[in-house]
Amino acid sequence: MRFSEYLVPTLREVPAEAEIVSHQLLLRAGFIRKAASGVYTYLPLAFRVLARIKAIVREEMDRAGGQEIGLPIIQPAELWLESGRWNVYGPELFRLKDRHGRDFCLGPTHEEIITELVKGDLRSYKQLPLLIYQIQNKYRDERRPRFGLMRGREFIMKDLYSFDRDEAGLDASYRKMYDAYTRIFERCGLEFRPVEADSGPIGGSVSHEFMVLADSGEGTVVYCPDAGCGYAANIEKAIGRPALSGADEELAPREEVVTPGLKTVDQVTAFLGVGAERLVKTLLYEAPDGVVAALVRGDREVNEIKLQNLIGVDQLEMADAEIVRRVTRAPVGFTGPVGLDVETIVADEEVMVMVNCITGANKADTHYRNVNPGRDFKPDLTADIRVVDDGQVCARCGAVLQSRRGIEVGQVFKLGIKYSKSLHLTYLDEQGEERLVVMGCYGIGVSRTMAAAVEQNYDADGIIWPVSIAPVKVVVVPVNMKEQTQVELAERVYRDLWAAGIDAMLDDRAERPGVKFKDADLVGYPVRVTVGKKAVDGEVEVLRRRTREMQVVPVVGPEWGTPYPSARTFLTASTSSFTGTTCISRVRRRSTSTSPSTAFLPTVTRTG
RNA sequence: CGGGAUGUAGCGCAGCUUGGUCAGCGCGCCUGCUUUGGGAGCAGGAAGCCGGGAGUUCGAAUCUCCCCAUCCCGACCA
């Protein structure tokens, strides 16, 4: 591929709409262009990166026994009405009508249609297990698309569904996928961490997310620094060891304290001269069947996901000031559990051991002192409903937990029989008895993975692609296009690289070298071969993008007669001897007699 | 969906307060010459229904109203 013929519209300035690094760099380096909010065109370089990621995903899915299929993106409403999600999914579902007025949607996920498929053709235990996957565009009309490819309305996703006879089978499938995901993200050259995750509205029992660690991530990973322990979880799911000892005091009689205008935990505790851990924070939530009060220690936050799961609702919103006033007959800031009349009172387990604590008195400008759980109020439920963050202690080993931001690039779920039961997906076992299929589902955000790779691999000059997913491995830069020697040697190196199975870009533009160097850094080719003044001696420079490590390499003999014996070997070695070695060594070899014109180039370079 | 902001040439922006030499700047793009190891210089050139509509006015990029789009901050998800 020749730069002069290739569509790589690099930009010198950062487009104003791009906030995060991956978005900025993918735009600037000529990988993507926006078509609409949350909808992007993939230019040739991006397309190649995506192809590489998909190739890795396919290899690992196939290795684990997966079978790729194609599913419709346009799906009939009937399927979604049947599963009930046509109404539940809400405005995130892209809906459309055909010319006859029939309803359709653009698939945001494919449970319905794949279950339908399997239901139609699954009869016997002999057909199980079954692992089916697809890699396609998905559509979600996000409330707020943002961060470029991170949260688009159209995105590429791999979905695999597993169908097993029983729990043991599901365990095996889940394990296979977990391992496959680990291999995939390792091969993509990403620093990631599998973490325990909440299974959310998709349901099911066990779930892990694969988080690429990056400060721009929207998620938070809580992890135990003790390598032997290894606990790691999404903050939504993470548990810490509860502080289960209160103050060592006699129970004192409850009394009112006047706290004029003091609404926040900080204000109240400062006024009373006690620590936040002596206060019980009472938050009111509006749930479908009534108001729920959540009680946590003053220095904790309520984990709404845990709360939702506990009380079994999928919608929970903080009560507004009006509801607070109606329920407590007091303004926001003075709510407390004593005498509180709500549908459900849920207390965090830490609250129950507190002694002589402070709470709101459900009366303006008033708090209670010396409130004691059990004596002064009785929650309907006691559970872990707090957010675990830095500084809390690992429930398993007692080390102090830490947290980092992460980008969720994959998630695996054990669904169990949740869907097969409601959709009556069954098979006949050896005894001829009808049994429910046990399912799992496993997703990877392919386009998001590309963005995540950039978030983790860049510097002030541009992208630094991991070799395994780089759109092009090597860029060959003749410094001066008017120097025939340089041009010819560059052509030769370029041809040799292709002959050796290494895809290369020849920057044959009549630009000044600085421009080409800047673009090379921006685009992020792992290796740059510079053909400059030393070309007359048959020498070129090989520069590694990541380390800026440079080596002068003799490529041809003094007379330019025969290729220098070690040239190809060296170039091959020097491009494969650092991160992500899996890819280069797997690239298919090509015949050396083929001309490296663009016509011969594969549209997609398959690995493996 | 709430809150905040922004729409002027391909990209980045100024101009709007105070309507009228106000269609501008930088980069990019095209032509020519020079230059060629980190985003060159000179000369010439193309390019904008000033987001859209309706108003106010002798006159609107500028003032008013409505709409649309985009981006950023909060509850969902890959």
Side-chain angles (χ1 to χ4, degrees), chain A residues 26 124 249 278 332 376 438 546:
Chain A
L26 288 171
S124 159
E249 293 173 10
R278 297 302 298 271
V332 175
D376 297 305
V438 184
R546 191 178 294 274

Side-chain angles (χ1 to χ4, degrees), chain A residues 52 55 58-59 586-588 590 602 604-608:
Chain A
R52 292 195 194 282
R58 283 200 177 96
E59 279 181 34
R586 288 162 167 272
V587 172
R588 195 199 307 149
R590 294 171 207 295
V604 172
T605 303
R606 280 277 303 181
T607 57

Side-chain angles (χ1 to χ4, degrees), chain A residues 351-422:
Chain A
V351 168
M352 297 313 290
V353 300
M354 290 170 71
V355 176
N356 295 338
C357 44
I358 316 292
T359 72
N362 299 321
K363 187 171 157 189
D365 299 329
T366 312
H367 279 75
Y368 283 131
R369 205 202 296 266
N370 300 330
V371 171
N372 287 288
R375 185 190 73 181
D376 297 305
F377 68 91
K378 286 193 173 57
D380 301 297
L381 292 166
T382 300
D384 169 13
I385 57 162
R386 66 194 179 283
V387 174
V388 173
D389 45 26
D390 290 39
Q392 294 192 45
V393 168
C394 178
R396 289 188 194 162
C397 74
V400 175
L401 292 169
Q402 298 185 351
S403 68
R404 279 192 69 177
R405 305 290 285 175
I407 300 161
E408 184 191 348
V409 289
Q411 186 165 14
V412 293
F413 294 93
K414 284 188 186 176
L415 296 175
I417 56 170
K418 179 175 166 152
Y419 286 87
S420 44
K421 196 170 182 180
S422 61

